[in-house]
Amino acid sequence: MDERSVLLARYRATRAHTERLSAPLSPEDQQLQAMADASPTKWHRGHTTWFFETFVLGPQGVSPLDERYGLLFNSYYEAVGPRHARAHRGMLSRPTAQQVTAWRARVDEQMQQLLASCEEPVLQRLTPLVRLGIAHEEQHQELILTDIVAAMALHPHKPAALPDFPPDVPAPWKGRRELEGGLVSIGVQPGELPFAFDNEGPRHSVWLHPYAISERLVTVGEWAAFAEDGGYQTPSLWLSDGLAVVRAQGWEAPAYTRREGRAVVHFGPEGERELHPDAPCTGLSFYEADALATWLGARLPTEAEWEHAASAERDEPDRIGPSMGQWYGAAWQWTRSSYAPYPGFRPAAGAVGEYNGKFMIDQQVLRGSSSYTPPGHSRPTYRNFWPSPTRFQKTGLRLAWDLSP
Ligand code: AVJ
Ligand code: FE
């Protein structure tokens, strides 16, 4: 297949996947907004459509379906114009879910028409933006899952949003790898991959002291032992900000998780189920991940340690289901690194420069990917980021240790 056909096929597949994901959700389900940090399914479906309409079609002279949609579906792009408040996205009963479906179909027509027939130089110019739009829609596919779980968790019947969603895979092994460190390179060089987000580059060198890193994620069983041991009430395990949040929120278990006697019960897209003790512990904030690592006699890896170790793995980021070392496909893994620009980082010119760069403040980097992440969206250099108290994402941890040289 030539590059044009590959791009077209990727576009179609990604757009179709969003619709397949949300198809089991009724218009009423799609309208729910559990909290300010989560958005309705319908909004995600509209926003990803707005992204293509605004950043790809608009500059080619294709006019939007409705000029007024920008106000509703612009998420955070100051350069594009004003926005409806994020916390009140659930109030947007219009357009209806059906109208959003029709809008998606219209934009898909226009996009496919453009990509199939534009001149080669235009295609060259549009390709990075289309790839960004595809990766963007993949990020929102994960958000559709996290946000519908947040909504269903507030329903007293605890309905399963997606009853067929696969449960977490237990990892009964226990191993760690020792790495020498030294001067290593991390990050992506421009043009090195068909697509990477701007925050993944430039490639640069980092000095690593000798370290060890675990070959699986911290488990539900390990978390239960921590909780049993009074972990949430032991100040010496906690960062100051973390302890303040634990006390203020009364946290005693990860998000959507509770202990029921010896059992640990979790609510996910598939509904409520008892977790296997060897399943990865998820729904943790950075603060809990840090305290849990400390209790286990370890620490969180830095993002450079994580990437250096993951790059040496034979793990296939694109496979479906978690990989052997659980680097990808199980849970996002908190790192001890704050989300900052790499040396030489420059956000792109124009509105898409707002995509990642302006959020490089007061957040932690997470690495890997989760069972909510769509296939093909993971790679060793990927930098996810959330503020430290965040626990409604599928977030867990991997341990690291210092080794003496
Ligand atoms: C990287 C997951 C924090 O959810 O705001 C979606 C992804 N960026 N649209 C977010 C994103 C633009 C982003 N996270
Ligand atoms: Fe977005």
Side-chain angles (χ1 to χ4, degrees):
M1 273 207 286
D2 61 358
E3 266 191 53
R4 192 187 291 261
S5 319
V6 172
L7 190 66
L8 263 161
R10 285 271 292 137
Y11 175 84
R12 261 190 291 242
T14 307
R15 297 284 289 171
H17 184 63
T18 303
E19 295 302 82
R20 219 175 310 115
L21 254 184
S22 25
L25 305 172
S26 70
E28 290 83 1
D29 291 339
Q30 294 200 22
Q31 187 64 34
L32 296 171
Q33 180 174 30
M35 56 181 173
D37 287 338
S39 299
T41 308
K42 183 178 76 182
W43 187 88
H44 288 300
R45 293 174 59 229
H47 164 69
T48 47
T49 304
W50 168 87
F51 194 96
F52 286 111
E53 201 177 61
T54 304
F55 296 122
V56 181
L57 295 172
Q60 294 305 306
V62 180
S63 40
L65 172 65
D66 189 328
E67 298 275 357
R68 302 168 310 162
Y69 280 5
L71 183 63
L72 312 184
F73 295 104
N74 177 2
S75 50
Y76 55 63
Y77 299 89
E78 298 286 344
V80 178
R83 295 155 311 280
H84 174 72
R86 179 188 180 118
H88 300 301
R89 287 174 186 164
M91 302 311 290
L92 302 174
S93 57
R94 329 254 174 118
T96 64
Q98 206 182 357
Q99 285 172 316
V100 168
T101 305
W103 182 26
R104 288 183 64 90
R106 178 187 196 256
V107 164
D108 287 350
E109 272 303 311
Q110 294 167 325
M111 282 292 297
Q112 293 181 72
Q113 162 77 18
L114 174 65
L115 295 180
S117 63
C118 68
E119 303 279 354
E120 200 55 39
V122 177
L123 185 70
Q124 291 309 314
R125 251 187 306 116
L126 291 183
T127 295
L129 277 173
V130 176
R131 287 183 175 149
L132 178 63
I134 289 171
H136 174 248
E137 184 136 352
E138 289 171 345
Q139 289 188 314
H140 279 274
Q141 288 165 356
E142 176 149 3
L143 295 169
I144 285 174
L145 289 170
T146 58
D147 295 3
I148 197 66
V149 167
M152 294 303 190
L154 294 177
H155 192 296
H157 295 170
K158 294 270 160 55
L162 303 173
D164 299 332
F165 199 82
D168 291 334
V169 180
W173 59 86
K174 190 170 192 155
R176 65 175 216 175
R177 282 229 327 275
E178 302 195 343
L179 291 110
E180 227 167 72
L183 196 64
V184 306
S185 295
I186 65 160
V188 179
Q189 208 42 42
E192 189 186 327
L193 295 177
F195 176 80
F197 285 109
D198 58 357
N199 64 4
E200 295 172 62
R203 194 162 176 81
H204 61 285
S205 8
V206 177
W207 182 264
L208 299 182
H209 292 273
Y211 67 106
I213 194 160
S214 55
E215 287 279 15
R216 64 154 170 82
L217 304 189
V218 168
T219 63
V220 169
E222 287 169 317
W223 168 80
F226 162 85
E228 193 88 10
D229 191 43
Y232 281 93
Q233 293 87 41
T234 309
S236 59
L237 298 172
W238 292 85
L239 291 162
S240 172
D241 288 3
L243 193 59
V245 177
V246 164
R247 286 174 173 165
Q249 304 292 327
W251 284 347
E252 41 189 49
Y256 313 121
T257 306
R258 60 191 163 84
R259 283 195 296 161
E260 224 183 77
R262 299 230 63 105
V264 179
V265 178
H266 178 81
F267 181 72
E270 75 280 23
E272 258 199 330
R273 93 163 77 227
E274 185 180 335
L275 292 176
H276 193 287
D278 292 331
C281 183
T282 69
L284 293 164
S285 62
F286 166 76
Y287 300 133
E288 291 162 290
D290 186 81
L292 188 45
T294 302
W295 184 79
L296 287 164
R299 60 172 173 81
L300 296 176
T302 65
E303 63 168 322
E305 287 171 335
W306 193 103
E307 183 172 327
H308 179 60
S311 307
E313 286 282 328
R314 278 171 300 118
D315 268 2
E316 269 286 327
D318 281 357
R319 54 172 275 156
I320 297 169
S323 47
M324 253 317 263
Q326 291 182 316
W327 298 91
Y328 311 100
W332 288 100
Q333 300 143 52
W334 288 106
T335 72
R336 199 61 176 86
S337 301
S338 46
Y339 181 47
Y342 284 164
F345 170 76
R346 286 247 171 283
V352 292
E354 293 184 51
Y355 197 102
N356 283 312
K358 71 181 187 180
F359 301 110
M360 292 174 172
I361 176 72
D362 287 349
Q363 312 215 33
Q364 291 300 121
V365 173
L366 299 105
R367 292 304 195 107
S369 60
S370 83
S371 58
Y372 296 2
T373 311
H377 191 75
S378 309
R379 50 187 170 268
T381 54
Y382 196 103
R383 305 175 81 200
N384 199 355
F385 54 90
W386 288 98
S388 306
T390 307
R391 59 202 318 245
F392 73 108
Q393 297 292 308
K394 184 123 187 169
T395 46
L397 71 147
R398 168 187 308 280
L399 302 177
W401 299 263
D402 295 315
L403 296 179
S404 36

